[in-house]
Amino acid sequence: MSLNTFGHLFRVTTWGESHGSALGATVDGCPPGIAVDEAMLQHWLDRRKPGQSRFTTQRQEPDTVEILSGVFEGQTTGTPVQLMIRNTDQRSKDYGDIAQKFRPGHADITYWQKYGIRDYRGGGRSSARETAARVAAGGVARAALASLAPGLTITGYMVQIGPHAIDRARFDVAQIERNPFWAPDAQAAAEWEGYLDGLRKTGNSVGAVVEIVASGVPAGLGAPIYGKLDTDLAAAMMSINAVKAVEIGEGMAAATLTGVENADEMTMGPDGPVYASNHAGGILGGISTGQEVVVRFAVKPTSSILTPRRTVTVAGEETEIVTKGRHDPCVGIRAVPVGEAMMACVLLDHLLLHRGQVGGNRGRIG
Amino acid sequence: MSLNTFGHLFRVTTWGESHGSALGATVDGCPPGIAVDEAMLQHWLDRRKPGQSRFTTQRQEPDTVEILSGVFEGQTTGTPVQLMIRNTDQRSKDYGDIAQKFRPGHADITYWQKYGIRDYRGGGRSSARETAARVAAGGVARAALASLAPGLTITGYMVQIGPHAIDRARFDVAQIERNPFWAPDAQAAAEWEGYLDGLRKTGNSVGAVVEIVASGVPAGLGAPIYGKLDTDLAAAMMSINAVKAVEIGEGMAAATLTGVENADEMTMGPDGPVYASNHAGGILGGISTGQEVVVRFAVKPTSSILTPRRTVTVAGEETEIVTKGRHDPCVGIRAVPVGEAMMACVLLDHLLLHRGQVGGNRGRIG
Amino acid sequence: MSLNTFGHLFRVTTWGESHGSALGATVDGCPPGIAVDEAMLQHWLDRRKPGQSRFTTQRQEPDTVEILSGVFEGQTTGTPVQLMIRNTDQRSKDYGDIAQKFRPGHADITYWQKYGIRDYRGGGRSSARETAARVAAGGVARAALASLAPGLTITGYMVQIGPHAIDRARFDVAQIERNPFWAPDAQAAAEWEGYLDGLRKTGNSVGAVVEIVASGVPAGLGAPIYGKLDTDLAAAMMSINAVKAVEIGEGMAAATLTGVENADEMTMGPDGPVYASNHAGGILGGISTGQEVVVRFAVKPTSSILTPRRTVTVAGEETEIVTKGRHDPCVGIRAVPVGEAMMACVLLDHLLLHRGQVGGNRGRIG
Amino acid sequence: MSLNTFGHLFRVTTWGESHGSALGATVDGCPPGIAVDEAMLQHWLDRRKPGQSRFTTQRQEPDTVEILSGVFEGQTTGTPVQLMIRNTDQRSKDYGDIAQKFRPGHADITYWQKYGIRDYRGGGRSSARETAARVAAGGVARAALASLAPGLTITGYMVQIGPHAIDRARFDVAQIERNPFWAPDAQAAAEWEGYLDGLRKTGNSVGAVVEIVASGVPAGLGAPIYGKLDTDLAAAMMSINAVKAVEIGEGMAAATLTGVENADEMTMGPDGPVYASNHAGGILGGISTGQEVVVRFAVKPTSSILTPRRTVTVAGEETEIVTKGRHDPCVGIRAVPVGEAMMACVLLDHLLLHRGQVGGNRGRIG
């Protein structure tokens, strides 16, 4: 019920604002005896860290994570793991111009309307800095998955920036870490570089599509109706800042398929059914099939741009706004590690739920 | 935590299988003093009722709802409202052929793997009949919204069947109830009729895209991070059978927009900000803006088709399957009233949450 | 969050009023493959059934339970089990005199103040009839426990009625089912019979203390802080109508013990630690020790009495009230099977939680 | 569902161990615009602080609370309030003797059995230090109550230590802060001083009974069945370390009362019903009456004593144990501010729930 919390048995509550003294995550429900340390979490945080290229925010922060509780002698204890990241770069002076103006497409107006709070210092709770806490929590989830579901891997990458999509024929997982966009297609990465440089020079921004794939997911995770694996994945991804759509498997394209085309035909392999295709994205009736779980989400462009846009002030006056300060030409880039973290959290949660509620798969095939 | 439940304060737990004696919804958290009766709920159920045209399942059921508790002298009492719908048409003989074979693209295989239960009688818990309970519960939510947010309206309609989308230039809300597809475009409806007749004759099926719009939604509903309005809407829609994608506002297309294009510019009207566009779909930072809330979801084609598909049996033998019996050429059609019901439930839930947690909007503009 | 629900993974939502058409329980989270049928549940309901002696309410109802969903071919399917009990004896005319008057010590006044609902027909939602649904749900929990924790037994009995307590030296479990009071002490039962006959003749009532003991509970159930086993037991028992106190182990008497006296000393047996005493009631730090789990609760006397008491009416007039109609001289008697049912539900829930979160006990002794 | 969390809308998750680097509370759901600062919270923490007299643990810690998030310019923002208290006095060497032995009556054995974790440094998560986080969170709840329910006061005090109870005839609220026991009876305080000095000299300990009273609680808070006000209070108090029983109003004594005695008769006052007594403890049918809400709980003696007790080691060897180091002759003393904090949290939570679900009391009397 806590509205800053996600998960059923593995529960993550994030806290903190972009310009407060710290932010973090309270991770409750991690099984005991899982090897976790700060270096392990820092690894994932470093991948998300801002300021690593000219295509992400120039905010410079080490984003160092501290484990305050729940780990003793290098292992989780079964009690809450508190993760804290101090905010060090809190230059709020850059935001002076926008203190009284609402940014079109930004949450500052709805937060104001709801809470009567105007945290003009850079987004407050709605800032993408909150996602650092998710990435740290995701690191705990990955550690638990490594122990409970060995062989399970999670890979996130960018499939589209603006109108420019990757070519699936050139898909090469080895490329993902070799460019600043997490592109699995070297040619697309080169194309995006030029495209984003152009946008950056004019202070404009653009949206993106991120894909997260988990392989080695056991069949049987999920539940009917509202605790479906895809329901929880949709919520998890939609909860990331600026996300406007979530797809499982074929996603929106499922609308254009016929039943004949959409059927993932099966033959029998040595270890169970073998699927000829994966239109379903690894989930049927809310429950994992054992195939790759495939999720995509669209990230809108940031509203912090240099082109003047018409808006209103808190006092109700019409005006124009230009957002100076740090710009992210494509906030979608930094969403890749965040999507991976959410996938890890959801899969671990459903693994624990399945273990608790069913205790192991009950139906054999063959 | 209950995995068949949705909602925070207004909570709906659905129960029942396609071929059990009854199905229904336990609705907890409806405010007291709301006028609710069976006729009111029946109105919504009748819109969803199967067998109304040759384009939806030929299962013939009156789907009569009974209120077993929580309503006294025509008003809700504040205690759980139990809604029951008896299953009357339980012809399970039609399904004999598929008792041992898994249908490609159907949940029968994952339910079997997880639970070891093979309810061959027609989908069991994964059947779309479960959505009747949601529609009934949505009727309770609508009654409460009528009292708590007068002027709020919810309208669902079909925007695409297979490759054929409506033409937004021809959008006419008056058309929606005049064709068996909930099409807001008479020309599209005519086109779909021919297209679906063709599919039906070959025992094939196709996907669809449904759009649900709520207008008159107060600004300020939602919450940061995981209790976002869009997060809950994404989960609600993804939890409907056969849904594979959910979009808010621009949805996937947000990826192709620049920040300049995506900004919903504002001017000042007599009652507050007036937006020049609604790329955001009425939600910024997880909180409603007061604009129309716009959600779309894609429904995959049903896996019950006449074309033989390769599959395996429970015993692990390779075989082919053809699903005889009743067919829905486009299960997306019946998802329209279901999507409306989910929208009603989520909005009421967030209205109650907002009232509880904040007590009314705190920030004024102008 | 649903306020008519209890449990984390094994979740029971009760619904229904004393004079509506039916009442029941929605049981979500029961593991699949558990043998459950109506006869099994009816067995427990029959133990609670009113009208079995002159010491409980004269309301005559068969309290026949119907399983509407979640059981297929005699086994649970893993989906919600809906249990319905029709109300057949709804004689509301007896309550005419109290339609406008509040009964001192009865919930009718607080329900009115909160909800503005006056269900004068016999308590509405606050009636002890609601506990029939708990007993039915408890039957499902017992069936699952029989499978998951064989050897676990739950025994409830009466230890005190009014000022008359049992003599622990005469404790004989075989007596419990041989008298209408669930007394484990034949002499106390005889004493209570005379005492209650006296109260009944004057239309008076009295309180009671019920004890519920579970043996064969595995060590390790529970969790720190708020999901403690004793926390959930306290909530479960306090949620029963008319309960005003809950004790674990020594309970209130723990206040009078010194640390030396209170220590449950241990020696080593063949299967682990053997405790010399059980002051703790089988729970330390919120987690079961493997000893008997011992819970007691006090039930207040019913407010429906023949002695006139001063009160007020809905219109705010001072008056006197006498409650005619059916009387329970000691509502505590019927609370015995209810307490057992709550114990079963809580233990099953924690068994599932432990399995999900920890996966089995991790620390060995010896 | 999070097992370290309490509350429905106002949710507190505590984290941290006795000898980790910090402990604290994640407070989610506090309404926005509430004046909160560190000094205000420190006030409550100082009342609970250990080492204030020779009757509580000699651990010396400033227990300084830091607000890391959720408060901006002196007001809550509606987002999570993170409260952190650094552990400064972590002398774990004192506990060397007990590293391998289980203390009879202590949670070290059940934590070991469940989690396989042996945090010999002083209780780990089961240490009463965790309650500092509750007191800090309770400070936030009190601040919100001051704004939302002005006039509501919460008073906790000791009513019994070992066999020595206060004399209600001497009850004087002014005495509570004038003695180290929170005794509302100066004579009892004097008596306890001698009694506890005796126990302290022999390294023994004793239990206690604490009473918490809230006055000015509006009628109508609570809900039927499981979200009852008394259910949540019972859970809240039982969740405090070492608590073994919880009573509402008459509590266990309700068992001995007749219906005639137990009836809280009513007359009509200028502002509504006036009760002649408060056997109910301010709660009927789970909902507040507007009278004082009265809760009592029994705290067992600490298991850290100097008298040797028989026990076993992790290796399964029989031995004796003596707990050296810091001793609390009566841990119940420090439970007084904790019980107050829990009362504040539960009342605020139900105030928000009531506002959300009902929106204000609906039934008038007179």
Side-chain angles (χ1 to χ4, degrees):
Chain A
M1 245 310 298
S2 171
L3 299 172
N4 290 278
T5 300
F6 55 92
H8 305 273
L9 285 185
F10 180 77
R11 284 172 70 84
V12 176
T13 307
T14 71
W15 53 270
E17 292 85 39
S18 61
H19 287 72
S21 61
L23 55 84
T26 307
V27 180
D28 196 10
C30 185
I34 305 295
V36 169
D37 62 27
E38 287 166 355
M40 190 185 292
L41 305 185
Q42 195 62 46
H43 168 74
W44 302 112
L45 272 168
D46 288 348
R47 297 179 78 224
R48 178 203 159 277
K49 198 166 59 176
Q52 301 195 99
S53 80
R54 66 186 183 278
F55 305 111
T56 55
T57 179
Q58 292 311 298
R59 181 167 175 148
Q60 298 289 346
E61 305 219 45
D63 275 359
T64 306
V65 66
E66 230 184 296
I67 299 176
L68 298 181
S69 69
V71 176
F72 179 53
E73 298 180 344
Q75 291 203 321
T76 55
T77 59
T79 64
V81 180
Q82 183 58 252
L83 305 172
M84 179 175 69
I85 299 164
R86 290 279 183 191
N87 283 323
T88 53
D89 179 4
Q90 304 169 30
R91 283 183 299 169
S92 49
K93 59 183 175 232
D94 288 355
Y95 294 88
D97 186 45
I98 58 171
Q100 298 303 315
K101 299 175 182 177
F102 298 111
R103 274 175 278 176
H106 190 275
D108 54 7
I109 190 166
T110 53
Y111 273 53
W112 169 253
Q113 287 175 302
K114 183 180 188 97
Y115 297 114
I117 300 292
R118 183 125 183 90
D119 190 346
Y120 44 78
R121 300 168 303 169
R125 183 69 178 147
S126 71
S127 162
R129 267 198 71 64
E130 181 269 342
T131 60
R134 300 188 190 213
V135 170
V140 177
R142 284 180 194 255
L145 284 171
S147 165
L148 299 176
L152 190 155
T153 62
I154 295 170
T155 311
Y157 43 86
M158 185 71 76
V159 294
Q160 187 177 335
I161 289 185
H164 306 291
I166 62 164
D167 182 340
R168 296 268 171 181
R170 288 193 304 254
F171 192 100
D172 176 6
V173 75
Q175 293 299 322
I176 295 173
E177 306 259 353
R178 293 193 193 143
N179 60 75
F181 312 106
W182 317 103
D185 168 355
Q187 196 169 315
E191 196 174 75
W192 294 344
E193 188 159 350
Y195 175 67
L196 288 180
D197 268 333
L199 285 172
R200 198 170 52 84
K201 280 167 192 161
T202 58
N204 204 349
S205 61
V206 76
V209 179
V210 172
E211 187 166 285
I212 313 287
V213 172
S215 63
V217 177
L221 304 193
I225 310 313
Y226 210 66
K228 292 181 173 186
L229 184 55
D230 39 358
T231 294
D232 280 352
L233 284 170
M237 301 307 169
M238 192 65 93
S239 78
I240 301 171
N241 310 50
V243 171
K244 301 302 284 184
V246 182
E247 299 189 316
I248 308 289
E250 286 289 341
M252 294 306 291
T256 65
L257 296 180
T258 65
V260 174
E261 292 161 344
N262 188 60
D264 294 316
E265 291 185 296
M266 283 172 269
T267 53
M268 200 64 197
D271 305 321
V274 176
Y275 291 85
S277 54
N278 190 11
H279 298 294
I283 304 174
L284 287 173
I287 298 173
S288 61
T289 62
Q291 293 182 274
E292 285 189 339
V293 172
V294 182
V295 181
R296 268 182 312 285
F297 55 89
V299 186
K300 70 176 184 184
T302 178
S303 58
S304 297
I305 50 175
L306 282 177
T307 304
R309 299 278 84 187
R310 282 175 301 150
T311 190
V312 300
T313 66
V314 174
E317 290 153 356
E318 299 190 344
T319 182
E320 284 200 335
I321 189 167
V322 165
T323 313
K324 289 173 190 162
R326 300 178 282 226
H327 290 94
D328 254 338
C330 181
V331 289
I333 297 170
R334 286 170 61 212
V336 174
V338 182
E340 289 178 345
M342 298 307 286
M343 175 71 90
C345 291
V346 171
L347 289 178
L348 174 60
D349 190 31
H350 275 277
L351 204 70
L352 300 181
L353 277 171
H354 180 66
R355 187 166 73 164
Q357 296 193 306
V358 179
N361 282 356
R362 293 176 43 85
R364 292 206 174 166
I365 298 173
Chain B
M1 246 310 299
S2 171
L3 298 172
N4 290 279
T5 300
F6 55 93
H8 306 273
L9 285 185
F10 180 77
R11 284 174 70 85
V12 176
T13 306
T14 72
W15 53 271
E17 292 85 39
S18 60
H19 287 73
S21 61
L23 56 83
T26 308
V27 180
D28 196 10
C30 184
I34 304 295
V36 169
D37 61 27
E38 287 166 355
M40 188 186 293
L41 305 185
Q42 196 61 48
H43 168 74
W44 302 113
L45 272 168
D46 288 349
R47 295 179 79 225
R48 178 202 160 278
K49 198 166 60 176
Q52 300 194 100
S53 80
R54 66 184 182 278
F55 305 111
T56 55
T57 178
Q58 292 310 297
R59 182 169 173 146
Q60 298 288 343
E61 304 218 47
D63 275 356
T64 307
V65 67
E66 233 184 293
I67 299 176
L68 298 182
S69 69
V71 175
F72 180 51
E73 298 180 343
Q75 291 202 323
T76 56
T77 60
T79 65
V81 180
Q82 183 59 253
L83 306 173
M84 180 174 68
I85 299 164
R86 289 280 182 191
N87 283 324
T88 54
D89 180 3
Q90 304 169 29
R91 281 183 299 168
S92 49
K93 59 183 174 235
D94 289 355
Y95 293 88
D97 185 46
I98 58 171
Q100 298 303 316
K101 300 175 182 178
F102 298 111
R103 274 174 278 176
H106 191 275
D108 53 8
I109 190 165
T110 52
Y111 274 53
W112 169 253
Q113 287 174 303
K114 183 181 188 96
Y115 297 114
I117 300 292
R118 183 123 184 91
D119 191 347
Y120 46 78
R121 300 168 303 169
R125 184 67 177 149
S126 71
S127 162
R129 267 198 71 63
E130 181 268 344
T131 60
R134 301 188 189 212
V135 170
V140 177
R142 285 181 194 255
L145 284 171
S147 165
L148 299 175
L152 190 154
T153 62
I154 295 170
T155 311
Y157 42 86
M158 186 70 77
V159 294
Q160 186 178 336
I161 288 186
H164 307 290
I166 62 164
D167 181 340
R168 296 269 172 180
R170 288 192 305 254
F171 191 101
D172 176 6
V173 75
Q175 292 300 323
I176 295 172
E177 308 257 354
R178 292 194 194 142
N179 60 73
F181 313 105
W182 316 103
D185 168 354
Q187 196 170 316
E191 198 173 72
W192 294 343
E193 187 158 352
Y195 175 68
L196 287 181
D197 269 333
L199 286 172
R200 197 170 52 84
K201 279 166 192 160
T202 59
N204 204 348
S205 62
V206 76
V209 179
V210 173
E211 186 166 285
I212 313 287
V213 172
S215 63
V217 177
L221 304 194
I225 311 312
Y226 210 66
K228 291 179 173 186
L229 185 55
D230 37 0
T231 293
D232 280 353
L233 285 170
M237 300 308 170
M238 193 65 92
S239 79
I240 301 171
N241 310 50
V243 171
K244 300 302 285 184
V246 182
E247 302 190 315
I248 307 289
E250 287 289 339
M252 293 306 293
T256 65
L257 296 179
T258 65
V260 173
E261 292 160 345
N262 188 60
D264 294 317
E265 292 186 297
M266 284 171 269
T267 53
M268 201 63 198
D271 305 321
V274 177
Y275 291 85
S277 53
N278 189 13
H279 298 293
I283 304 175
L284 287 172
I287 299 173
S288 61
T289 62
Q291 290 182 277
E292 284 189 341
V293 172
V294 181
V295 181
R296 267 182 313 285
F297 55 90
V299 186
K300 71 176 183 184
T302 179
S303 56
S304 299
I305 51 175
L306 282 178
T307 303
R309 298 279 84 187
R310 282 176 299 149
T311 191
V312 299
T313 66
V314 173
E317 290 153 355
E318 298 192 343
T319 182
E320 286 200 333
I321 189 167
V322 165
T323 313
K324 290 172 188 161
R326 298 177 284 225
H327 290 94
D328 253 339
C330 182
V331 288
I333 296 170
R334 286 168 63 212
V336 174
V338 182
E340 290 178 345
M342 298 306 286
M343 175 70 92
C345 291
V346 171
L347 290 177
L348 174 60
D349 189 31
H350 275 277
L351 204 71
L352 300 181
L353 277 171
H354 181 66
R355 187 166 73 164
Q357 295 193 306
V358 180
N361 282 355
R362 292 175 42 86
R364 291 206 175 167
I365 298 172
Chain C
M1 245 309 299
S2 170
L3 299 173
N4 290 278
T5 300
F6 57 92
H8 305 272
L9 284 185
F10 180 77
R11 285 172 70 84
V12 176
T13 307
T14 71
W15 54 270
E17 292 86 38
S18 61
H19 287 72
S21 61
L23 57 83
T26 307
V27 180
D28 197 10
C30 185
I34 305 296
V36 169
D37 62 27
E38 288 167 353
M40 189 185 293
L41 305 185
Q42 195 62 47
H43 168 74
W44 302 112
L45 271 168
D46 288 349
R47 297 178 78 225
R48 178 202 159 277
K49 198 167 60 177
Q52 301 194 100
S53 80
R54 66 186 182 278
F55 306 111
T56 54
T57 178
Q58 293 310 297
R59 181 168 175 148
Q60 298 289 344
E61 304 219 45
D63 275 357
T64 306
V65 66
E66 232 184 293
I67 300 176
L68 298 181
S69 68
V71 176
F72 179 52
E73 298 180 342
Q75 291 203 320
T76 56
T77 60
T79 64
V81 180
Q82 183 58 252
L83 306 172
M84 179 174 70
I85 299 164
R86 289 281 182 189
N87 283 324
T88 53
D89 180 3
Q90 304 169 30
R91 282 182 298 169
S92 49
K93 60 183 175 236
D94 288 354
Y95 294 88
D97 186 45
I98 59 171
Q100 298 303 315
K101 300 175 181 177
F102 297 111
R103 273 175 278 177
H106 190 275
D108 54 7
I109 190 167
T110 53
Y111 274 53
W112 169 252
Q113 287 174 302
K114 183 181 188 95
Y115 298 113
I117 299 294
R118 183 125 182 89
D119 190 346
Y120 45 78
R121 299 167 303 169
R125 184 67 178 148
S126 71
S127 163
R129 265 198 73 63
E130 181 269 342
T131 61
R134 301 188 189 213
V135 170
V140 177
R142 284 180 194 256
L145 284 171
S147 166
L148 298 176
L152 190 155
T153 62
I154 295 170
T155 311
Y157 43 86
M158 185 70 77
V159 294
Q160 187 178 334
I161 288 186
H164 307 290
I166 62 164
D167 182 340
R168 295 269 172 181
R170 289 192 304 255
F171 192 100
D172 176 6
V173 75
Q175 293 299 323
I176 296 173
E177 307 257 355
R178 293 193 193 143
N179 60 74
F181 312 106
W182 316 103
D185 168 355
Q187 197 170 316
E191 197 173 75
W192 294 345
E193 186 159 352
Y195 175 67
L196 288 181
D197 268 333
L199 285 172
R200 197 169 52 85
K201 279 166 192 159
T202 58
N204 204 347
S205 61
V206 76
V209 179
V210 173
E211 186 166 284
I212 313 286
V213 172
S215 63
V217 177
L221 304 194
I225 311 312
Y226 211 66
K228 292 180 173 187
L229 184 55
D230 38 359
T231 294
D232 279 353
L233 285 170
M237 301 307 170
M238 192 64 94
S239 79
I240 301 171
N241 310 52
V243 172
K244 300 301 285 184
V246 182
E247 300 190 315
I248 307 290
E250 286 289 342
M252 294 306 292
T256 65
L257 296 180
T258 65
V260 173
E261 293 161 342
N262 189 60
D264 294 317
E265 292 185 296
M266 283 172 270
T267 52
M268 199 64 196
D271 305 321
V274 176
Y275 291 86
S277 54
N278 189 11
H279 298 293
I283 303 174
L284 287 173
I287 298 173
S288 61
T289 62
Q291 292 182 276
E292 285 189 340
V293 172
V294 182
V295 181
R296 268 182 312 286
F297 55 89
V299 186
K300 71 177 184 184
T302 178
S303 57
S304 298
I305 50 175
L306 282 177
T307 303
R309 299 278 84 187
R310 281 174 302 148
T311 191
V312 300
T313 66
V314 174
E317 290 154 355
E318 299 190 344
T319 182
E320 285 200 333
I321 189 168
V322 165
T323 313
K324 290 173 189 161
R326 300 177 283 225
H327 290 95
D328 254 338
C330 181
V331 289
I333 298 170
R334 285 170 62 212
V336 174
V338 182
E340 290 178 344
M342 298 307 286
M343 175 70 91
C345 291
V346 171
L347 290 178
L348 174 61
D349 190 30
H350 275 276
L351 203 70
L352 300 181
L353 277 171
H354 180 67
R355 188 166 73 163
Q357 295 193 307
V358 179
N361 282 356
R362 293 175 42 85
R364 292 205 175 167
I365 298 173
Chain D
M1 245 311 300
S2 171
L3 298 173
N4 290 278
T5 300
F6 56 92
H8 305 273
L9 284 185
F10 180 77
R11 284 174 70 84
V12 176
T13 306
T14 71
W15 52 271
E17 292 85 40
S18 61
H19 287 72
S21 61
L23 56 83
T26 308
V27 180
D28 196 11
C30 184
I34 304 295
V36 169
D37 61 27
E38 288 166 355
M40 189 186 292
L41 305 185
Q42 196 61 48
H43 168 74
W44 302 112
L45 272 168
D46 288 348
R47 297 179 77 224
R48 177 201 161 279
K49 198 167 59 177
Q52 301 194 99
S53 80
R54 66 184 182 278
F55 306 111
T56 55
T57 179
Q58 292 311 298
R59 183 169 172 145
Q60 299 288 343
E61 305 219 46
D63 276 358
T64 306
V65 66
E66 230 185 294
I67 300 176
L68 298 182
S69 69
V71 175
F72 179 51
E73 298 179 345
Q75 290 202 322
T76 56
T77 60
T79 65
V81 179
Q82 182 58 252
L83 305 173
M84 181 175 68
I85 299 164
R86 289 279 182 191
N87 283 325
T88 53
D89 180 4
Q90 304 168 29
R91 283 183 296 169
S92 48
K93 59 184 175 228
D94 289 355
Y95 293 90
D97 186 47
I98 58 171
Q100 298 304 316
K101 300 175 181 177
F102 298 111
R103 273 174 279 176
H106 190 275
D108 53 8
I109 190 166
T110 53
Y111 273 53
W112 169 253
Q113 288 175 302
K114 184 181 188 94
Y115 298 115
I117 299 292
R118 182 123 183 91
D119 190 348
Y120 46 78
R121 301 168 302 169
R125 184 67 178 149
S126 72
S127 162
R129 266 198 72 63
E130 181 268 343
T131 60
R134 300 187 189 213
V135 170
V140 177
R142 284 182 195 255
L145 284 171
S147 165
L148 298 176
L152 191 154
T153 63
I154 295 170
T155 311
Y157 42 86
M158 185 70 77
V159 294
Q160 187 178 334
I161 288 186
H164 307 289
I166 62 164
D167 181 340
R168 296 269 172 181
R170 289 194 301 256
F171 192 100
D172 176 6
V173 76
Q175 292 300 322
I176 295 172
E177 308 258 354
R178 292 193 193 142
N179 60 75
F181 313 105
W182 316 103
D185 168 354
Q187 195 170 315
E191 197 172 73
W192 294 344
E193 188 159 352
Y195 175 67
L196 287 181
D197 269 332
L199 286 172
R200 198 169 51 84
K201 280 167 194 161
T202 59
N204 204 348
S205 62
V206 76
V209 179
V210 172
E211 186 166 285
I212 313 287
V213 172
S215 63
V217 177
L221 304 194
I225 311 312
Y226 210 65
K228 291 180 173 186
L229 184 55
D230 37 0
T231 294
D232 280 352
L233 285 170
M237 300 309 169
M238 192 65 92
S239 78
I240 301 172
N241 309 50
V243 171
K244 300 302 284 184
V246 182
E247 300 190 315
I248 307 290
E250 287 288 342
M252 293 306 293
T256 65
L257 296 180
T258 65
V260 173
E261 292 160 345
N262 188 61
D264 294 316
E265 292 186 297
M266 284 171 269
T267 53
M268 201 64 198
D271 305 320
V274 176
Y275 291 85
S277 53
N278 188 13
H279 298 292
I283 304 175
L284 286 172
I287 298 172
S288 62
T289 62
Q291 291 182 276
E292 283 188 341
V293 172
V294 182
V295 181
R296 266 182 314 284
F297 55 89
V299 186
K300 70 176 183 185
T302 179
S303 56
S304 299
I305 50 175
L306 282 178
T307 302
R309 298 280 84 187
R310 281 176 300 150
T311 190
V312 298
T313 66
V314 174
E317 290 152 355
E318 299 192 343
T319 182
E320 285 201 333
I321 189 167
V322 165
T323 313
K324 289 172 189 162
R326 299 177 283 225
H327 289 95
D328 253 339
C330 182
V331 289
I333 297 170
R334 286 168 63 212
V336 174
V338 182
E340 289 178 345
M342 297 307 286
M343 175 70 92
C345 291
V346 171
L347 290 177
L348 174 61
D349 190 31
H350 275 277
L351 204 71
L352 300 181
L353 277 171
H354 181 66
R355 187 166 75 164
Q357 296 194 304
V358 179
N361 282 354
R362 292 176 43 86
R364 292 206 174 166
I365 298 172

